[in-house]
């Protein structure tokens, strides 16, 4: 919301951050274009951020075809300082009219070359020189799928440095958990602007975490004016409650491996489901053709080629057999269950509960199941008489944290003598 935006902008500025991007993730005009309706309008986001900022410069993202020249003019009128124009690196020529318009409005303009890895380092350098001629103030190397490596980052930035004096920035995603390393590599190669977000919150597997990046830079005696503890507090207070998933996911890592943009994931999932394929197989099968854009036709074509293909990797799992034959006594079976119950409880950091029930209606038996959905690991044993009940309790004492008993009002002999809580 606008209140959230103002709060976070003010907090970030108090920690020393001086350049802050706000607004819809797909930029100006995205809500209007049907790209997902944000909680506020572009105007409201910019206005709330500008009002909350004392000296920090406020930026927004802009994608030609989603936003318009009118959106840029309105943003400038509301106090915007920086426009970040994003296009696929292969479509950089589309930025020209927007760069020129933004410069006339007095804005700083950064060109974000999305999916930069789709071209060679030399071609990337040529695109940098192109937008420099358009009047841009900065160009960004962008690892949109989070699949690049530090040595590649250096190659791209070095190539651009050889042909252009335009300041460079880096924007990395964290699909292969390389965002921090790549961001540092970009700095070492001469990048002047480094993108990051609190807790790494961002599209797909997220971005480079601001607080971690600053902590590492300060080990190099850089960014010493920034307050890492305050950044940590801001992230925990305002970003963590949003429940952004911070663990790597199977699909996110696959996207990084294939340099596959997450915006095409929904289509890939639909096609994989249609042809009963592992979507990871389908994504990887796209190869270089899936780096910039992915059509339904291409997905269908690759899926048909994969029909009948069997992944040769198999899981060979062998569990040791337990003595659970009909010859085992009830107490022996109970002990095996209690040991498994304890193991499952330890694995999930839960208390273990063994439920022992005396019944006149059912034969004695030991449940084969351990349930962990109710805040504990629990299983059940049915007994026919108190003698069986005492045998089970004595055998399983200390293996379970708790005994839960329903013995038809019978009381075990010496109930205080059990080390498992009764």
């Amino acid at each position: 919301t606008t209140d959230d935006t103002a709060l976070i902008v003010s907090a970030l500025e108090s920690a020393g951050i001086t350049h802050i991007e706000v607004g819809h993730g797909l930029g100006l005009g995205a809500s209007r274009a049907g790209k997902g309706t944000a909680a506020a309008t572009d105007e409201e986001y910019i206005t709330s951020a500008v009002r909350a900022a004392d000296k920090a410069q406020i930026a927004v993202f802009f994608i030609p075809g989603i936003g318009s020249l009118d959106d840029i003019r309105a943003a400038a009128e509301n106090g915007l300082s920086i426009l970040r124009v994003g296009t696929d690196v292969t479509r950089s020529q589309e930025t020209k009219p927007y760069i020129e318009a933004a410069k006339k409005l007095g804005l700083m303009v950064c060109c974000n070359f999305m999916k930069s890895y789709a071209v060679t380092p030399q071609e990337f350098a040529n695109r940098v020189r192109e937008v420099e001629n358009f009047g841009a103030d900065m160009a960004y190397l962008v690892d949109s799928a989070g699949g690049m490596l530090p040595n590649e980052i250096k190659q791209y930035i070095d190539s651009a440095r050889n042909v252009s004096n335009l300041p460079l920035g880096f924007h990395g995603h964290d699909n292969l958990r390389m965002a921090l390393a790549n961001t540092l590599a970009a700095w070492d190669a001469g990048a002047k602007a480094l993108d990051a977000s609190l807790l790494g919150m961002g599209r797909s597997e997220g971005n480079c975490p601001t607080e971690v990046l600053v902590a590492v830079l300060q080990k190099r005696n850089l960014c010493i004016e920034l307050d890492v503890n305050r950044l940590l507090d801001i992230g925990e207070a305002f970003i963590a409650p949003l429940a952004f998933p911070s663990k790597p996911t199977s699909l996110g890592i696959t996207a990084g491996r294939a340099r596959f943009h997450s915006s095409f994931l929904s289509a890939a999932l639909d096609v994989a489901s249609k042809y009963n394929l592992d979507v990871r197989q389908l994504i990887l099968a796209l190869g270089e053709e899936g780096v910039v854009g992915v059509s339904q036709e291409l997905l269908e074509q690759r899926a048909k080629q994969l029909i009948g293909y069997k992944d040769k990797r198999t899981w060979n799992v062998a569990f040791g057999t337990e003595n659970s034959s009909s010859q085992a006594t009830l107490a022996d079976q109970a002990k095996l269950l209690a040991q498994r119950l304890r193991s499952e409880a330890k694995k999930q950091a839960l208390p273990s509960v063994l439920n022992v029930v005396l019944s006149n209606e059912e034969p004695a038996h030991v449940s084969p199941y351990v349930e962990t959905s109710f805040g504990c690991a629990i299983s059940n044993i049915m007994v026919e008489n108190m003698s069986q009940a005492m045998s089970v309790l004595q055998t399983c004492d200390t293996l379970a944290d708790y005994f839960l008993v329903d013995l038809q009002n019978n009381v075990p002999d010496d109930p205080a003598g059990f080390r498992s809580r009764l």
Side-chain angles (χ1 to χ4, degrees):
T1 67
T2 53
D3 285 346
D4 296 325
T5 299
L7 182 65
I8 295 171
V9 165
S10 179
L12 283 171
E13 188 176 48
S14 76
I17 302 294
T18 57
H19 298 75
I20 304 169
E21 182 185 299
V22 303
H24 194 297
L26 290 177
L28 296 176
S31 291
R32 182 186 63 242
K35 301 297 183 181
T37 303
T41 66
D42 297 332
E43 178 183 0
E44 290 169 339
Y45 280 130
I46 295 168
T47 300
S48 65
V50 170
R51 287 175 178 170
D54 181 20
K55 297 178 181 178
Q57 297 184 55
I58 301 303
V60 294
F61 200 54
F62 176 89
I63 299 177
I66 293 180
S68 67
L69 290 171
D70 286 340
D71 291 321
I72 297 175
R73 296 186 190 101
E77 290 172 359
N78 287 305
L80 186 71
S81 299
I82 305 167
L83 185 73
R84 290 153 59 89
V85 181
T87 63
D88 285 349
V89 65
T90 55
R91 301 170 62 180
S92 57
Q93 68 279 0
E94 296 178 7
T95 64
K96 187 174 189 292
Y98 304 100
I99 293 173
E100 292 174 345
K103 290 306 299 178
K104 288 179 180 178
L105 292 166
L107 300 177
M108 176 183 176
V109 181
C110 303
C111 279
N112 283 45
F113 292 129
M114 298 187 292
K115 306 166 193 166
S116 297
Y117 42 75
V119 299
T120 65
Q122 185 56 55
E123 179 60 22
F124 171 79
N126 293 338
R127 304 282 176 165
V128 171
R129 185 169 54 192
E130 179 183 46
V131 298
E132 182 179 24
N133 293 333
F134 294 165
D137 298 292
M138 180 174 287
Y140 263 81
L141 175 65
V142 182
D143 182 15
S144 303
M148 298 181 76
L149 299 174
N151 63 305
E152 296 174 289
I153 304 301
K154 184 178 187 308
Q155 290 170 6
Y156 277 77
I157 292 180
D158 285 349
S159 293
R161 285 278 63 86
N162 289 335
V163 301
S164 171
N165 293 318
L166 193 65
L168 298 174
F170 177 72
H171 179 101
H173 282 264
D174 212 16
N175 294 64
L176 296 182
R177 290 302 184 257
M178 296 300 295
L180 176 60
N182 287 341
T183 302
L184 295 172
W187 175 264
D188 290 339
K192 300 300 182 185
L194 308 176
D195 280 10
S197 59
L198 290 169
L199 300 188
M201 189 176 195
R203 181 188 54 76
S204 189
E205 297 295 282
N207 298 99
C208 182
T210 306
E211 58 279 13
V212 179
L213 175 61
V214 175
V216 173
L217 289 174
Q218 288 189 351
K219 285 181 170 289
R220 300 181 172 191
N221 205 33
L222 300 167
C223 297
I224 56 175
E225 71 282 4
L226 301 182
D227 189 330
V228 176
N229 284 343
R230 188 163 293 188
L231 290 170
L232 291 167
D233 291 342
I234 298 166
E236 290 175 1
F238 305 137
I239 307 303
L242 299 177
F244 174 73
S246 58
K247 295 189 294 184
T249 65
S250 175
L251 289 179
I253 293 170
T254 302
R257 292 174 64 198
R259 296 186 175 180
F260 176 86
H261 198 279
S262 62
S263 60
F264 305 119
L265 182 57
S266 178
L269 285 166
D270 290 342
V271 172
S273 176
K274 177 180 177 181
Y275 290 92
N276 194 29
L277 296 170
D278 183 336
V279 69
R280 297 171 297 183
Q281 278 182 286
L282 179 58
I283 290 172
L284 292 169
L286 294 170
E288 291 299 317
E289 291 183 86
V291 170
V292 177
V294 178
S295 65
Q296 183 78 14
E297 180 182 6
L298 177 61
L299 287 167
E300 295 264 356
Q301 182 185 55
R302 288 291 180 271
K304 290 174 182 176
Q305 293 172 352
L306 289 170
I307 292 176
Y309 169 79
K310 298 296 183 183
D311 192 336
K312 295 180 180 178
R313 292 171 299 171
T314 59
W315 290 21
N316 296 310
V317 181
F319 291 101
T321 57
E322 295 178 344
N323 180 23
S324 58
S325 69
S326 58
Q327 302 301 315
T329 67
L330 181 68
D332 291 337
Q333 294 179 52
K335 183 176 181 179
L336 289 174
L337 173 64
Q339 289 171 337
R340 186 158 67 90
L341 179 67
R342 179 178 62 180
S343 179
E344 289 296 321
K346 292 290 185 182
K347 182 170 71 173
Q348 301 191 42
L350 296 171
S352 59
V353 179
L354 185 61
N355 186 33
V356 182
V357 178
L358 173 62
S359 173
N360 298 323
E361 309 295 331
E362 298 182 51
H365 66 273
V366 175
S367 171
Y369 306 110
V370 172
E371 177 60 62
T372 58
S373 300
F374 305 106
C376 64
I378 186 169
S379 193
N380 305 287
I381 297 176
M382 192 73 69
V383 297
E384 298 175 2
N385 52 57
M386 279 300 293
S387 176
Q388 288 181 340
M390 291 304 299
S391 175
V392 166
L393 294 174
Q394 290 167 355
T395 300
C396 298
D397 193 21
T398 73
L399 293 177
D401 295 318
Y402 297 89
F403 289 139
L404 181 64
V405 297
D406 179 1
L407 302 178
Q408 299 184 10
N409 296 321
N410 291 292
V411 179
D413 297 333
D414 188 22
F418 290 107
R419 283 171 288 180
S420 296
R421 296 181 63 182
L422 192 64

